[in-house]
Amino acid sequence: MWIYEKKLQYPVKIKNPNPKLAQIIISQLGGPDGELAASMRYLHQRYAMPYKQVVGILTDVGTEELAHLEMIAAILHQLTRNLSEEEIKNSPFATYFVDHTTGLYPVAASGVPFDMKYVGIKGDVIADLHEDLAAEQKARVTYDNILRLCDDPDVRDPIKFLREREIVHYQRFADALRITQDNLDSKNFYAYNPAFDPKSQKT
Amino acid sequence: MMNQYYGVSSFSGRGGRYDYDRATYRRPMNRGVMPGNMPGCMSNRTFGTTQGNGACSGGNSNTPRLSGCGCGMNRARQQDHNDHRDHNDYNAHNDHRDHHDHRDRNDHRDHDCDGRDRVIPAVNRTNGCGCGCGNGADAAACKRLMDQIRAVDFALYETVLYLDVYPNSCDALETYYKLKAQSEALHAEYEATCAPLTAFGNKSDTSWDWMGKPFPWEYDAD
């Protein structure tokens, strides 16, 4: 089960609200490569995994992604506080505001709501770990793109932290893939699916 | 000590990740490649067993460093000798610790990172105060404490992620307990003087202080 700790993993302190930035950064909340997609991916993949190291890393990285989801929410909350109607009217944020006011609803920057179709769960150890490696790189690219579009140092600071975490997660999933390969026959890694085939079929 | 190698420096510019088992930097050449491309030594390695060349064995000063990969090669890997950091590594045989096998160390722990069961007495691991000696912490003190908690908890979580994929690393386990002790002490101080950190951290007999303002996502949170 999950226990909630009342702190952000990394501080978020944004002095200047900016609805235009919020419109872009919301993709890391509800977009295809955002933190909600990441946490749902890892936490759901772990149920089929046979190796304790892989279950462990999926559980703990998935939990950390929930913490990152909270950080993105904090960034969005602080970017959209104390807004006047004038500021909202003259920004792309108006189309979000009309449906959600300043509530936080996971959508992509394009306005498409979060969709589990973004998440690949194949029930095969090698396939799922490759999905995770790709997901971390896509998240890293999304953060790169946010940094291209963002000048405010208060916002850049937590975004840079989150970007670095994606890279570290990528390394850990690569470790998990290597462990998986160590547990399989190097003459044929695809001989069976350890997430499905019974142990009696293993050579 | 070990902390400098965690976090962002696992992707350091020095040519790759720090490998705690071999106490050297390894190039990231074999990360995430397709199965079947792994060199023979790496693909034969298994985890979770007590093999002689397992992650925790430290070797001794009389024989050349074994490759430690379990493939039986009796020479140190090329990059170990050419790596200028070899002689300052944590596991190098010219450090302050004794030169015998890691398992000979006479400390209170039985190294289950080698696969054996052991129990760590709780008294050796926590030194948090938790005495409720609230000397009246102000907002600035709570912010400072929270920054320290974030830093220590981050290093601790990085250690957890590392141990998830390298459960046999004695050094990482040692770091884990050191950081956990620091974290518990800071958590206890914060909860005694500032606010509960979890739903199970309420301290007052007369009031329920969980999830008071400011919330963590607000501008004036700690």
Side-chain angles (χ1 to χ4, degrees):
Chain A
M1 67 162 281
W2 275 269
I3 296 182
Y4 175 72
E5 206 180 327
K6 190 185 167 217
K7 76 177 210 274
L8 292 185
Q9 191 187 31
Y10 188 87
V12 171
K13 244 184 194 15
I14 301 174
K15 287 187 285 298
N16 304 318
N18 185 340
K20 264 170 57 175
L21 258 184
Q23 172 72 11
I24 305 244
I25 291 176
I26 201 161
S27 251
Q28 280 305 91
L29 194 76
D33 308 311
E35 305 292 354
L36 184 55
S39 50
M40 290 300 101
R41 179 182 298 110
Y42 307 142
L43 293 174
H44 283 90
Q45 274 181 4
R46 64 198 183 113
Y47 299 113
M49 293 296 180
Y51 307 124
K52 71 167 189 178
Q53 296 94 333
V54 181
V55 174
I57 197 68
L58 286 171
T59 301
D60 294 330
V61 173
T63 303
E64 192 184 347
E65 300 292 11
L66 288 174
H68 294 173
L69 187 67
E70 190 187 28
M71 274 180 63
I72 296 286
I75 293 173
L76 294 169
H77 168 83
Q78 293 183 25
L79 284 173
T80 54
R81 61 194 174 99
N82 301 333
L83 291 177
S84 69
E85 285 168 8
E86 248 349 275
E87 286 171 293
I88 296 171
K89 233 192 280 193
N90 301 328
S91 89
F93 182 68
T95 49
Y96 174 92
F97 176 86
V98 68
D99 287 326
H100 309 293
T101 327
T102 51
L104 285 181
Y105 180 75
V107 288
S110 59
V112 175
F114 176 73
D115 194 328
M116 273 306 284
K117 292 193 197 62
Y118 300 147
V119 174
I121 296 172
K122 202 72 178 171
D124 174 284
V125 186
I126 294 174
D128 281 347
L129 285 173
H130 280 91
E131 156 91 8
D132 301 339
L133 292 170
E136 292 294 352
Q137 286 297 330
K138 289 189 287 182
R140 190 261 313 159
V141 173
T142 314
Y143 282 123
D144 278 340
N145 292 341
I146 289 174
L147 288 171
R148 289 178 206 274
L149 301 173
C150 170
D151 287 328
D152 183 349
D154 291 343
V155 180
R156 289 177 69 86
D157 194 34
I159 295 288
K160 283 196 280 191
F161 169 82
L162 292 169
R163 177 187 171 280
E164 189 63 50
R165 296 306 298 152
E166 308 299 0
I167 295 172
V168 173
H169 291 168
Y170 175 77
Q171 297 287 27
R172 294 289 87 82
F173 287 131
D175 293 333
L177 182 59
R178 196 195 66 180
I179 287 166
T180 301
Q181 290 162 353
D182 289 347
N183 278 296
L184 297 172
D185 178 4
S186 61
K187 296 193 208 67
N188 181 7
F189 286 117
Y190 305 125
Y192 68 99
N193 176 1
F196 174 71
D197 294 307
K199 284 189 165 50
S200 58
Q201 285 189 23
K202 289 199 287 195
T203 49
Chain B
M1 180 189 58
M2 296 300 276
N3 297 356
Q4 62 182 307
Y5 297 123
Y6 286 112
V8 301
S9 47
S10 64
F11 200 77
S12 76
R14 282 182 272 190
R17 298 181 35 251
Y18 186 80
D19 181 337
Y20 293 100
D21 300 334
R22 292 186 184 71
T24 184
Y25 277 85
R26 308 200 44 225
R27 286 168 188 64
M29 44 179 273
N30 285 325
R31 294 288 171 258
V33 295
M34 290 302 295
N37 284 346
M38 306 299 283
C41 192
M42 291 293 294
S43 64
N44 286 335
R45 192 162 175 206
T46 56
F47 285 84
T49 62
T50 48
Q51 295 185 346
N53 284 340
C56 258
S57 59
N60 61 56
S61 51
N62 292 328
T63 62
R65 295 257 295 275
L66 297 178
S67 56
C69 64
C71 67
M73 288 196 328
N74 207 9
R75 61 179 167 79
R77 292 169 65 89
Q78 184 67 17
Q79 58 216 78
D80 289 350
H81 283 312
N82 292 339
D83 186 338
H84 71 278
R85 275 174 295 276
D86 262 6
H87 302 292
N88 296 320
D89 286 333
Y90 193 70
N91 286 330
H93 40 259
N94 57 354
D95 67 5
H96 67 280
R97 294 185 294 133
D98 76 42
H99 301 291
H100 299 297
D101 185 86
H102 212 260
R103 281 164 283 193
D104 291 346
R105 281 203 301 161
N106 190 23
D107 63 10
H108 66 280
R109 290 186 290 140
D110 183 16
H111 296 270
D112 98 332
C113 39
D114 282 336
R116 290 172 289 179
D117 288 337
R118 58 92 193 264
V119 170
I120 296 181
V123 68
N124 288 326
R125 289 196 272 119
T126 59
N127 57 3
C129 159
C131 64
C133 49
N135 288 323
D138 54 26
C142 287
K143 277 186 169 42
R144 241 186 343 262
L145 253 182
M146 181 52 90
D147 282 339
Q148 288 176 297
I149 287 174
R150 270 194 266 263
V152 174
D153 283 1
F154 173 68
L156 181 58
Y157 210 73
E158 268 289 75
T159 315
V160 164
L161 294 187
Y162 182 83
L163 282 164
D164 279 337
V165 285
Y166 294 106
N168 292 339
S169 172
C170 291
D171 293 330
L173 206 50
E174 195 179 324
T175 303
Y176 169 83
Y177 285 112
K178 284 205 177 87
L179 288 170
K180 189 150 176 295
Q182 290 175 33
S183 170
E184 285 173 352
L186 287 168
H187 277 238
E189 195 185 337
Y190 185 89
E191 288 193 323
T193 58
C194 303
L197 280 168
T198 69
F200 312 106
N202 206 66
K203 293 287 180 273
S204 161
D205 285 343
T206 53
S207 68
W208 179 244
D209 302 322
W210 172 234
M211 265 312 175
K213 276 195 161 261
F215 308 123
W217 49 88
E218 292 181 309
Y219 179 75
D220 30 304
D222 279 341

